[in-house]
Amino acid sequence: VCVCVCCVCGLPLCTMGEAMEGVAPIGKSPGGSSLHHAGGSGLHQFDLDSYISAFTGHGRLQRLLFIAQSNNAEHSNEALEMALQEVKNTRQVASYLTLADIACERWPNFEKDDEWAGRTLEESERRKEKLDIELNDIKQSLIRESVRMALENQCAFLYDCGDLKQASLVCAKMKSYHTTTKHAVDQALMMVKIGLETDNIITVNNYANQGLESDDPVVYSAFSAAR
């Protein structure tokens, strides 16, 4: 069993490995015939609702997607249903389309919500354009803190949309506009979080090492968890 740590909140994931031992083939959708169940007692001890309640944000969706793609009928279908419901409360259109493709293959009667995807994408594009204009206007003022805050807003928005590559690029620019130690710590934590979600270990190590130089025990502990 592989023991790892949550890339968002640092919680151990050993339960996942234990719960997914002895899996069975994927069954039909909840509206069709009965699902196949694995015979291992360890599998029946896994409670998806209890497990997933420990996570929020990207980490929650990532784990639901992982379970949805697993080779277990009972929990994969349940996780897929939960993920499809939750992802529509976000701006992550790409994640929804990934989940919808899985649902289409698994459940013949599933209908992809193209209207929601198109509307959400258009709204996100308009918001992104507005943030770009605001950033360009603020840069003319040459006020470092205002520029940093504009970049921070842009990074947070891109992260919420699931565009981690662009979020990382914007976040990296914030380094030139720090005016306090807290700004540097906040930016480093964000870069570590994005690096963990994108499996960019070089970025994680570089920014975690910066945090490990701190004399603040809280800051040191946060970055130690990332290492």
Side-chain angles (χ1 to χ4, degrees):
V1 174
C2 182
V3 178
C4 51
V5 174
C6 169
C7 67
V8 176
C9 61
L11 294 176
L13 301 182
C14 56
T15 305
M16 177 68 73
E18 295 168 354
M20 290 302 166
E21 291 181 350
V23 293
I26 293 175
K28 295 185 178 180
S29 67
S33 60
S34 60
L35 300 172
H36 299 291
H37 298 273
S41 59
L43 181 63
H44 293 290
Q45 295 173 1
F46 177 70
D47 186 294
L48 180 59
D49 286 329
S50 297
Y51 170 77
I52 209 64
S53 65
F55 304 98
T56 59
H58 288 202
R60 186 180 177 92
L61 275 176
Q62 286 176 345
R63 278 149 189 80
L64 285 172
L65 175 59
F66 176 82
I67 300 171
Q69 293 175 313
S70 70
N71 190 32
N72 170 259
E74 178 183 3
H75 298 305
S76 62
N77 282 302
E78 183 183 1
L80 182 55
E81 283 190 315
M82 291 177 64
L84 284 166
Q85 292 175 1
E86 296 201 17
V87 74
K88 292 177 76 172
N89 294 322
T90 74
R91 298 187 181 97
Q92 298 184 47
V93 176
S95 295
Y96 170 76
L97 294 177
T98 297
L99 290 163
D101 286 342
I102 297 173
C104 286
E105 293 180 2
R106 190 173 301 177
W107 305 326
N109 295 327
F110 178 83
E111 294 184 4
K112 187 182 298 184
D113 194 344
D114 292 320
E115 181 181 351
W116 176 87
R119 182 177 67 253
T120 303
L121 196 58
E122 289 179 6
E123 292 173 353
S124 295
E125 285 298 320
R126 287 197 297 269
R127 175 62 176 162
K128 183 177 181 297
E129 290 176 5
K130 182 179 179 180
L131 289 172
D132 286 339
I133 293 173
E134 290 178 354
L135 176 61
N136 290 331
D137 289 343
I138 289 173
K139 281 183 176 179
Q140 303 303 317
S141 70
L142 301 179
I143 301 176
R144 292 168 61 86
E145 174 59 7
S146 296
V147 176
R148 187 197 66 80
M149 290 179 64
L151 286 169
E152 189 175 61
N153 291 338
Q154 196 174 58
C155 175
F157 174 75
L158 291 168
Y159 180 83
D160 287 343
C161 291
D163 191 348
L164 302 185
K165 181 178 180 180
Q166 287 301 315
S168 178
L169 293 175
V170 172
C171 190
K173 295 178 182 178
M174 291 166 55
K175 186 174 183 178
S176 301
Y177 300 94
H178 294 160
T179 56
T180 68
T181 301
K182 183 179 184 303
H183 295 163
V185 171
D186 289 344
Q187 186 230 2
L189 282 172
M190 187 62 174
M191 289 298 291
V192 166
K193 181 162 70 171
I194 294 174
L196 286 169
E197 290 192 32
T198 56
D199 293 327
N200 190 334
I201 304 304
I202 294 177
T203 294
V204 172
N205 286 336
N206 286 342
Y207 282 90
N209 286 335
Q210 294 179 26
L212 293 177
E213 297 174 0
S214 174
D215 294 329
D216 187 326
V218 176
V219 173
Y220 184 89
S221 177
F223 285 101
S224 294
R227 294 297 305 276

